Amino acid sequence: MDPIQKLIKEKIERELQARTRRHFIKECAAGMGGLAFGSLFAACDRKKAVPQPTGRKLTERDLNPLSVLPPPNMSRIKSVIYLHMAGAPSQLEMFDYKPQLQKLHGKPCPESLLEGKKFAFIRGIPKLLGPQSNFKQEGESGNWVSDYLPHFRKVIDEVAFLKAVHTDQFNHGPAQLFMHTGTPRLGRPSLGSWVTYGLGSENQNLPGFVVLISGGNDPSAGKSVWGSGFLPSIYQGVQCRSEGDPVLYIEDPEGVSRDMKKRTIEAINAINKEEYARYADPEILARINQYEMAYRMQISVPEIMNINKEPKHIQEMYGVVPGEESFANNCLLARKLVEDGVRFVQLYDWGWDSHGTDPSTAIDLGFRNKCRDIDRPMTALLLDLKQRGLLEETLVVWGGEFGRTPMQENREGKEMGYMGRDHHGDAFTMWMAGGGIKGGASWGTTDEIGFSAVEGRVSVHDVHATILHLLGFDHEQFTYNFQGRPFRLTDVEGEIIHEILS
Amino acid sequence: MQFFGRLHPVLVHLPIGFIVFGVLLLWTDRKKKRYEQVIALAFLWGAISALLASLTGYVHYRQEGYSFSSVQLHLWTGLITTVFCLLVYLRVIENSWVKLLRGASPVALSIVLFLLISVTGHFGGSITHGADFLIEPLPQSLQRTLGYETFEKKEIVLNEENWQQLIFYDSLIDPMIHNYCASCHNPRKAKANLILTEREGILKGGENGEVIVSGDLENSPLHARLILPKSHEDHMPPSGKSQPSKAEINLIRQWILSGNSFEKTLGEAGLKKSELITFFRKDSLAGYPKVNPPPLSPDSLELFKKSRIHISRLSANSELVRVSMVNNPAFQDMDFDPLLGIAQNIAVLDLGGTAVTDSIFGKLAQLPHLTVLKLDNTGVTGAQLEKLQELEYLKSLNLTATPFEINNLAALNSFKSLRTVYLYNSPFTEKSGVEFLSNSNISIEYGNYSLPGIPSDSISY
Amino acid sequence: MQKKITVALFGVLLILAIILLWNFLKPSDPVDFSAEIKPIFNKHCISCHGGVKKNGGLSLLFEEDALGPMDSGKAAIVPGEPGASELIRRIKAHDPELRMPYEKPRLKDDEIELLSRWIDQGAPWGKHWAYTLPDKVDLPEITQEAGFLPEKDQDFLQNGIDQFVLTRLKAEGLQPNQQASREILARRLALDLTGLPPNAQLFDAWLEAELPYEGLVDSLLASETYGEKWSSWWLDLARYADTKGYEKDLGRTIWQYRDWVIRAFNKDMPYNQFTLEQLAGDLLPEPSMDQLIATAFHRNTMNNDEGGTEDEEFRVATVIDRVNTTFEVWQSTTIGCTQCHSHTYDPFRHEEYYKLMAFFNNTRDEDTPGEEPALKFYEEEDLRKVEKIKQWVAKYGSAESARKYRDFLLFNEPIYQAHTATGFKNGELSDTKWLSLWDDGSCQVKNVHTHGASSLLLNYWSNLNGTEMTIRKDHAGGEILARFRIDKTRGRIIRKIPFKPTNEELTLYFEANNDGIPKEAGTSFIVWFGFIEDLPGKGEPGYTEIDNSFLKLLNTQTPSLPIMAENPHYMGRTTQVFERGNWLLKADTVSPATPQVLNPWDPEWPKNRMGLAKWIVSTENPLTARTLVNRVWHQFFGRGMVATLEDIGSQSDPPSHPDLLDWLALRFMHEHQWSIKGLVKDIVMSGTYRQDSESSPELYERDPDNELLARGPRLRLSAEQIRDQALAVSGLLSDKMYGPGVMPPQPEGIWKSVYNSQKWVESKGEDRYRRAVYTYLKRTSPYPSFVTFDAGSREVCMVRRTVTNTPLQALVTLNDPVYLEAAHQMAVANAIPDDPDGTISRLYQKATFKKIDDQKLGVLKELYTVSLKEFRADETSVQGFLSLEAPTEPEIAALTIVANAIMNLDEFLTKS
């Protein structure tokens, strides 16, 4: 043995012995009645705190962050389609039938209701505004739906209503952030990002979280409502567009054939493999994977985004207009995407902010048109999912970021030319349908004029907890560590709404 | 002083040793009487060391802030032991002071002494190690037979059939009280002199008066305290203890409103099913079979991944899997064979959009736990469908967009658990084929929905 | 004999007894609170007994609370007496109702033992290492040991840094890598210091060894591109963007601040000065324009123009953001938690948050659409006029008055914003922004100070003629203070209106009358009004000229920039604690103070932002220098010595090289006098930095994040670097510096904000090819390819970008026209006729600065050959190739494909 090595070995052995001896004596002392006497010296020696680098093996997620992970609990659904009506539709003209409000139409709002309340635009004492649509009970459930949504009656027994959702935000941006990220401020991951992070995505040729926009504008809170916050950006929503490239930069440039692109990627990956042999950096392997997936996406995405290939009767059922950006097209795309294993599809339809400042935002005009524009497509979506057996493994959620007042808006105290309703977060309607949902249920009731919840009040956090529950998560355990603390989508709140679960 | 006190745990072992030694000697020497002096010595030292132990014990108790109630039994038995040990010594040396003891046999005395020291030791041990130190490792059933109450949260479960006939108090209120209140308000502990585990106790109330006024929520602390803000001093259960859910609080509410009867049934109390929804038994397995298939090996998973067969567990703690060919449209019958290696594990199988044919059914029949089967957009006609009838769990069968033949429907009649069959976009018209179907549990989804145009579709307001 | 034995036996026993006794009595190993006890508390106890919940009246966050009596009257911790400590009793308890942690498994025996021992030792409450800074750190000595070649040591040991790194490596039984090759080193260094690949001249000089390594470092540090690279990093922290954020997300002119940052880096402004100017430049004695610009740091906060929002709510949100950002940027502390409750883990209290907020709560900005105060950039001639007015006031009035005049001219403060008006009758706050009275309308503004001014300055516009406006004292029947006519204006104007001088605090009652107008029509729209003491020197020659010049300057339209300005004392706000962080629930009033646990406050410092800035850059502050060092280190190695870059505190990861962190922090403050370039140079001169980044799967498994630094850094380039590099190697990059944000090509239809008509107007000429730092950044819709490569949207401070690896990134560099244009340009510029091998080698070398090996050449040549064949076979593909205007030769097209492939190689996208 090399003399120096021998020396080292001896030294190590000596130390080991010494340590064992000390340890033994200390143990004995502790055993004999805990007679350890302490010194009062204590230093805050940060050297003790130096961590050992935690070696780890490569996991599948290192190479493919979208690889599928099982949920903690069994779940019935595997995908979510979330229809968000940006601008907040009026529950009082759609689902929350308030005959008493009709009787009180035009009367000044009782002051007791206004005490301590803040409104975006209503000032002073506004007048009550009766429902502008007619309601009927439909289906076996006998749930109410208005004549603004004539087609939707057909699926009324598929959906479960939440009629007393509440939020404490009454400006669009913060309320949308709250609805989609669980907090009214920026910086948290969206629901879709959480889900994609937690479960990955089955189809390796498509993004796991797809966002589709209609109505001509992004939602008020901008792209942050599908942002990944502190989660890695691969979990953020990928916006697929009906105009231009369906996904940015997915089309091959002019003059470059598919084959040529394939060869380019093969060349890149061949050289990258050589690099890996030298640097052993797993990021290189991941990059090789991502280039392969990019190539596959270049084929799959344009194909799936092409709704022209759908049979005529399906196109008609949704009421699609090929080549345009519409809610109907997006509903059809949503079905195609979940059918092909996309985990989370988020639809935003802008233009629901019915203040009554002009015809397009009047409750009985522009708003009615908006209802017409979603009525057929969302009904068709539920029916189409149903007939393909997809509804049993998909959750469909519908809602806005808050509701509207039972009072007519009197912007800055002025009488307005059109009938409008102001922002209102105390009670509004959402619905869910699909796997695990009790079709025909209705949970929560509002008071006689639909101002606030009387029973079955649920918060935005409760809605989130329920969605996560359906996907097999315990919302209290589903966390991500950031800045030294675990974060949850539901913050410190949230109760599962069992009343609408089957 | 504190040091002296802390010698107690060491010193206590001396009298134990001496006394046990003495007792053993007495026993072995009861005939020959050869060691009487030694025996006497043992008890003498026993008494001395016991005195020492008692003294240090007292100091220990004063110094370390134990409450008197927690040490009193140990203290008294310790002192008694000390005195008794001295008495035994005196008896052994036949000291004239203890004439009274003459009649008692030393052996009998020593056995009493042995019992005394055991009891003392036990009480001492209870202070440092907890009263149930010895009991704890025993199985719970044995503990109960020994008379120790064990705390187990009672699961509150109702079932769909007979819930209205259940006694409100017995089936819901009592278990709930057990779960949230009993740990402090039981006959042994009775905090605030309140016992909630018995009917009388609930009616009697505690030191702050009654806890229930029938029909009056505000004056019934049993309810009022539950709904106080958690930060409120009077909130019950105290913050930090597990809290009842909204639905559970509603039960207390309804019980009080309905007159807090111990006999009324849920139906009589007027409870709505919607209020109880959270208590009905939920199938936590989401309809999947309760089986434990063999664990999957990472290697085989890797292999399937390479052949673009997607496999994922249904949940993190289950070995049941979902298999899909979402990225593998070229998949055909013969590619299926490797999957038979994990036949026990497959609960969901999605072969939609692949090149499989009717001969796949023979293979599928070997998947005992198959629950959901998707064969949509394939070429199956259902010719060998009957092979699946042995599948015990098959619930959902998707044949959307297949050339399925109508007369093959008859095969479904003998399926055991089948509920839904999707036949949209196959050569069926609405409702056709029902003549072949006698199994009323099966519903067929023919699809082909349409939304005919209505005038309002084209009105612009 | 027997006696002897007895004596011997007795002796042995005695010795044994002594040994035993000594062992009982000798001090047990001192328990380290921060390293051993605090983690147990944090893991098991703090969620119920911490800053948020204090169950049973126990909090283990602060010493006073932990050692004090609980609700039960007992003490959880009695120092020196574990037996009497309720804490020990409860963790040992067997009754599940008593045992802590409640409803959780029992603590492990060694944890219980540790806690008992700690209490036994007197329960000393340590201060966490992060909150104390040593005075001095000694360099570790490197001793020679076997298995390690001294020459290699010598190669590696370039400066102090390496001594620390090598010490840890040796302890772990690892060796450093050898030095990287010259080519790799030059590229690494240039990308790290300037964000660009090295320029040819410098590269050649270095390669030929004409330039020593230090010379290379110095040249790069001296180049102006250095500031452009490092500003990207700082702008993430400063949340710099070109729009206001929230729903409308309208544009904002604040690029002058970005330019200030670039210049500050380039002139290596010492970090303490850099800090002072940004946090409190306006409070310096005679702030220069630049120092005022610097304060825009905290005007990068978002501003909500959405209709129906409460300005005060968003002003408060802004102030909160400033507190949080200041602490994130300078102190690596997420103080934001304490907004609602005492910090759960770190020793900061709920009230302390509001004490910090009090420093920031007194600035003039109020979430108004005009983003006042805004610094006006006058033309040179006008600036002279400003100076003249200032001199006039100084001459006839006081220096203080002169400053007031200058401030009013430069940024129109102090003023009263329209939204302070209340009690509207026949009037409204139009669009919740502007004071607008209808016919017969009135409203009030309370707490107005006029300082005896005989005129009112009114900023308004009107679309109607013939309104009579009256301002009265207090109410409708009050004394008339001003009466004037309002007519139609051409846009907004600032008008001087005679006003009855008074020195009291007033309530102004505004009335408007105009009979000839429609109902509910606004007679005027007032943006703000203000008072400034009368111009002194009345009657002196030139007075009128000066007076007119003043009003004219006020009405001069100039570019402007939001800055910070402090409230005058009479407009000061009090700061109250918000219960549970809710701004509507106000509790105790607090005054400015810094957290107890950090460095002490010097009474000399003013209790305002200036004082706070001085406190932050005090050499006693334990976090400022460490934070900076840690983050600069992260820029080079992709990992901070404290890996949690955003958090240095009790929840953060402990540092990988604690002594090195402190050594560098101390050196940064004392030897480099806060020079960032000095720090940067220390790092890049080290042998640690110069190592090759080669690794092996074994080493990766041992140390995946390169915490031990046994190899050089290997990191994917940032979003900015990826673009800049592509433009640079193709020769397209413009070296134009500064100015408004530019809009390089981006796909159609990306911008879609509500109520916002602003459009992406593609820049022309060299502005298309500017460095990424100049790209216009819209918060709700940032430049798409940057976001794909993990750049943020800069709504809030971003300490660290998560580096991801996604297929969307591949699509950008493969298909984004920007990258295709670069590839094409590169092919055109480097093509050697009839020498594809030579050309490909050249392309590769231009891109990666390395010589190509045969294997890679083979792969690329194959790609070239097949592509060429295809282009030749199909002429149409060359016709419209890349939608270029002129058709391309098949050879160039094929080379473009090759260049595109090269620009997608891992080695191109990665700094190695």
Side-chain angles (χ1 to χ4, degrees), chain C residues 725-732 819-832 839-848 892 895-896 898-900 902-903 908:
Chain C
Q725 177 186 238
L727 294 178
V729 298
S730 63
L732 285 170
Y819 291 88
L820 293 165
E821 188 180 357
H824 180 251
Q825 182 59 34
M826 204 174 171
V828 171
N830 293 292
I832 310 167
T839 311
I840 292 170
S841 310
R842 197 154 132 183
L843 287 174
Y844 179 85
Q845 194 172 1
K846 285 261 172 185
T848 64
I892 294 294
L895 279 178
T896 304
V898 173
N900 181 241
I902 292 174
M903 289 163 95
F908 185 70

Coordinates of all heavy atoms in Angstrom, one line a residue, chain C residues 725-732 819-832 839-848 892 895-896 898-900 902-903 908:
Chain C
Q725 N -27.3 37.0 -30.3 CA -26.2 36.2 -30.9 C -26.5 35.8 -32.3 O -25.6 35.9 -33.2 CB -26.1 34.9 -30.1 CG -25.0 33.9 -30.7 CD -25.0 32.6 -29.9 OE1 -24.0 32.2 -29.4 NE2 -26.1 31.9 -29.9
A726 N -27.8 35.5 -32.6 CA -28.1 35.1 -34.0 C -27.9 36.3 -34.9 O -27.3 36.2 -36.0 CB -29.6 34.7 -34.1
L727 N -28.3 37.5 -34.5 CA -28.1 38.7 -35.3 C -26.6 39.0 -35.4 O -26.1 39.4 -36.4 CB -28.8 39.9 -34.7 CG -30.4 39.8 -34.7 CD1 -31.0 41.0 -34.0 CD2 -30.9 39.6 -36.1
A728 N -25.9 38.8 -34.3 CA -24.5 39.1 -34.3 C -23.7 38.2 -35.2 O -22.9 38.7 -36.1 CB -23.9 39.0 -32.9
V729 N -23.9 36.9 -35.2 CA -23.0 36.1 -36.0 C -23.4 36.2 -37.5 O -22.6 35.9 -38.3 CB -23.1 34.6 -35.6 CG1 -22.6 34.4 -34.2 CG2 -24.5 34.0 -35.7
S730 N -24.6 36.7 -37.8 CA -25.0 36.8 -39.2 C -24.6 38.2 -39.6 O -24.8 38.5 -40.8 CB -26.5 36.6 -39.3 OG -27.2 37.5 -38.6
G731 N -24.1 39.1 -38.7 CA -23.7 40.4 -39.1 C -24.9 41.4 -39.2 O -24.7 42.5 -39.7
L732 N -26.1 41.0 -38.8 CA -27.2 41.9 -38.9 C -27.3 42.9 -37.7 O -28.0 43.9 -37.9 CB -28.5 41.1 -39.0 CG -28.8 40.4 -40.3 CD1 -30.0 39.4 -40.1 CD2 -29.1 41.4 -41.4
Y819 N -35.0 34.5 -37.2 CA -33.8 33.5 -37.2 C -33.6 33.0 -38.7 O -32.4 32.7 -39.0 CB -34.1 32.4 -36.3 CG -34.1 32.9 -34.9 CD1 -35.3 33.4 -34.3 CD2 -32.9 32.9 -34.1 CE1 -35.2 33.9 -33.0 CE2 -32.9 33.5 -32.9 CZ -34.0 34.0 -32.3 OH -34.0 34.5 -31.0
L820 N -34.6 33.0 -39.5 CA -34.4 32.5 -40.8 C -33.6 33.6 -41.6 O -32.7 33.3 -42.4 CB -35.7 32.3 -41.5 CG -36.5 31.0 -40.9 CD1 -37.9 31.0 -41.4 CD2 -35.7 29.8 -41.3
E821 N -34.0 34.9 -41.4 CA -33.3 36.0 -42.0 C -31.8 35.9 -41.6 O -30.9 36.1 -42.4 CB -33.9 37.3 -41.6 CG -33.3 38.5 -42.4 CD -34.0 39.8 -42.0 OE1 -34.9 39.8 -41.2 OE2 -33.5 40.8 -42.6
A822 N -31.6 35.7 -40.3 CA -30.2 35.6 -39.9 C -29.4 34.5 -40.5 O -28.3 34.6 -41.0 CB -30.2 35.4 -38.3
A823 N -30.1 33.3 -40.7 CA -29.4 32.2 -41.3 C -29.1 32.5 -42.8 O -28.0 32.2 -43.3 CB -30.3 30.9 -41.2
H824 N -30.1 33.1 -43.4 CA -29.9 33.5 -44.8 C -28.7 34.4 -45.0 O -27.8 34.3 -45.8 CB -31.2 34.0 -45.4 CG -31.1 34.4 -46.8 ND1 -31.1 35.7 -47.2 CD2 -31.0 33.7 -48.0 CE1 -30.9 35.8 -48.6 NE2 -30.9 34.5 -49.0
Q825 N -28.8 35.5 -44.1 CA -27.7 36.5 -44.2 C -26.3 35.8 -43.9 O -25.4 36.2 -44.6 CB -28.0 37.5 -43.1 CG -27.0 38.7 -43.1 CD -27.0 39.4 -44.4 OE1 -28.0 39.5 -45.1 NE2 -25.8 39.9 -44.8
M826 N -26.3 34.9 -43.0 CA -25.1 34.2 -42.7 C -24.6 33.4 -43.9 O -23.4 33.4 -44.2 CB -25.3 33.3 -41.5 CG -24.1 33.0 -40.8 SD -24.5 32.1 -39.3 CE -22.8 31.7 -38.8
A827 N -25.5 32.8 -44.6 CA -25.1 32.0 -45.7 C -24.6 32.9 -46.8 O -23.5 32.6 -47.4 CB -26.3 31.2 -46.3
V828 N -25.3 34.0 -47.1 CA -24.8 34.9 -48.1 C -23.5 35.4 -47.8 O -22.6 35.5 -48.7 CB -25.9 36.1 -48.3 CG1 -25.3 37.1 -49.2 CG2 -27.2 35.5 -48.7
A829 N -23.3 35.8 -46.5 CA -22.0 36.5 -46.2 C -20.8 35.6 -46.2 O -19.7 36.0 -46.3 CB -22.2 37.2 -44.8
N830 N -21.0 34.3 -46.0 CA -19.9 33.4 -45.8 C -19.7 32.4 -46.9 O -18.8 31.6 -46.9 CB -20.0 32.7 -44.5 CG -19.9 33.6 -43.3 OD1 -18.9 34.2 -43.1 ND2 -21.0 33.8 -42.6
A831 N -20.5 32.4 -47.9 CA -20.4 31.4 -49.0 C -19.1 31.6 -49.7 O -18.7 32.7 -50.2 CB -21.6 31.6 -50.0
I832 N -18.4 30.5 -49.8 CA -17.2 30.4 -50.7 C -17.6 29.7 -51.9 O -18.0 28.5 -51.8 CB -16.0 29.7 -50.0 CG1 -15.8 30.3 -48.6 CG2 -14.7 29.8 -50.8 CD1 -14.9 29.4 -47.7
T839 N -17.2 26.3 -46.8 CA -18.2 27.2 -46.4 C -18.9 26.7 -45.1 O -19.1 27.5 -44.1 CB -19.3 27.4 -47.4 OG1 -18.7 27.7 -48.7 CG2 -20.3 28.5 -47.1
I840 N -19.2 25.4 -45.1 CA -19.8 24.9 -43.9 C -18.9 25.0 -42.7 O -19.4 25.4 -41.6 CB -20.2 23.4 -44.1 CG1 -21.4 23.3 -45.2 CG2 -20.7 22.7 -42.9 CD1 -21.7 22.0 -45.7
S841 N -17.6 24.7 -42.9 CA -16.7 24.8 -41.8 C -16.7 26.3 -41.3 O -16.7 26.5 -40.0 CB -15.3 24.5 -42.2 OG -15.3 23.2 -42.8
R842 N -16.7 27.2 -42.2 CA -16.7 28.6 -41.8 C -18.0 29.0 -41.1 O -17.9 29.7 -40.0 CB -16.6 29.4 -43.1 CG -16.1 30.8 -42.9 CD -15.4 31.3 -44.1 NE -15.9 32.6 -44.5 CZ -15.5 33.3 -45.6 NH1 -14.7 32.7 -46.4 NH2 -16.0 34.5 -45.8
L843 N -19.1 28.6 -41.6 CA -20.4 28.9 -40.9 C -20.3 28.4 -39.5 O -20.7 29.1 -38.5 CB -21.6 28.2 -41.6 CG -22.0 28.8 -43.0 CD1 -23.1 28.0 -43.6 CD2 -22.5 30.2 -42.8
Y844 N -19.9 27.1 -39.3 CA -19.8 26.5 -38.0 C -18.9 27.3 -37.1 O -19.2 27.6 -35.9 CB -19.4 25.1 -38.1 CG -19.3 24.3 -36.8 CD1 -20.4 23.7 -36.3 CD2 -18.0 24.3 -36.1 CE1 -20.3 23.1 -35.0 CE2 -17.9 23.6 -34.9 CZ -19.1 23.0 -34.4 OH -19.0 22.4 -33.2
Q845 N -17.8 27.7 -37.6 CA -16.8 28.4 -36.8 C -17.3 29.8 -36.4 O -17.1 30.2 -35.3 CB -15.5 28.5 -37.5 CG -14.4 28.9 -36.5 CD -13.0 28.8 -37.1 OE1 -12.9 28.5 -38.3 NE2 -12.0 29.2 -36.4
K846 N -18.0 30.4 -37.4 CA -18.5 31.8 -37.1 C -19.5 31.7 -35.9 O -19.7 32.6 -35.1 CB -19.2 32.3 -38.3 CG -18.3 32.8 -39.4 CD -18.1 34.3 -39.3 CE -17.0 34.7 -40.3 NZ -16.7 36.1 -40.2
A847 N -20.3 30.6 -35.9 CA -21.4 30.5 -35.0 C -20.9 30.0 -33.6 O -21.2 30.6 -32.6 CB -22.4 29.5 -35.5
T848 N -20.0 29.0 -33.6 CA -19.6 28.4 -32.3 C -18.2 28.8 -31.9 O -17.8 28.4 -30.8 CB -19.7 26.9 -32.4 OG1 -18.7 26.5 -33.4 CG2 -21.0 26.4 -32.9
I892 N -27.2 28.9 -52.2 CA -27.4 29.8 -51.0 C -28.6 29.2 -50.1 O -28.5 29.2 -48.9 CB -27.7 31.2 -51.4 CG1 -26.5 31.8 -52.1 CG2 -28.1 32.1 -50.2 CD1 -25.3 32.0 -51.2
L895 N -27.4 26.4 -48.3 CA -26.5 26.8 -47.2 C -27.3 27.5 -46.0 O -27.0 27.3 -44.9 CB -25.5 27.9 -47.7 CG -24.3 27.3 -48.4 CD1 -23.4 28.5 -48.9 CD2 -23.4 26.5 -47.5
T896 N -28.4 28.1 -46.4 CA -29.3 28.7 -45.4 C -29.9 27.6 -44.5 O -29.9 27.8 -43.3 CB -30.4 29.5 -46.1 OG1 -29.9 30.5 -46.9 CG2 -31.3 30.2 -45.0
V898 N -28.4 24.8 -43.9 CA -27.3 24.4 -43.0 C -27.1 25.4 -41.9 O -27.0 25.1 -40.7 CB -26.0 24.2 -43.8 CG1 -24.9 23.9 -42.9 CG2 -26.2 23.1 -44.8
A899 N -27.1 26.7 -42.2 CA -26.9 27.7 -41.2 C -28.0 27.7 -40.2 O -27.8 27.8 -39.0 CB -26.9 29.1 -41.9
N900 N -29.2 27.5 -40.6 CA -30.4 27.3 -39.7 C -30.1 26.2 -38.7 O -30.4 26.3 -37.5 CB -31.6 27.2 -40.5 CG -32.9 27.0 -39.7 OD1 -33.6 26.0 -39.7 ND2 -33.2 28.1 -38.9
I902 N -27.2 24.9 -37.9 CA -26.1 25.2 -37.0 C -26.7 26.1 -35.8 O -26.3 26.0 -34.7 CB -25.0 25.9 -37.7 CG1 -24.3 24.9 -38.7 CG2 -24.0 26.6 -36.8 CD1 -23.3 25.5 -39.6
M903 N -27.5 27.1 -36.2 CA -28.1 28.0 -35.2 C -29.1 27.3 -34.3 O -29.7 28.0 -33.5 CB -28.6 29.2 -35.9 CG -27.5 30.1 -36.5 SD -28.1 31.3 -37.7 CE -28.3 32.7 -36.7
F908 N -24.8 26.0 -29.9 CA -25.0 27.4 -30.2 C -25.9 28.0 -29.2 O -25.7 29.2 -28.9 CB -25.6 27.4 -31.6 CG -25.7 28.9 -32.2 CD1 -24.6 29.6 -32.5 CD2 -27.0 29.4 -32.3 CE1 -24.7 30.9 -33.0 CE2 -27.1 30.7 -32.8 CZ -26.0 31.5 -33.1

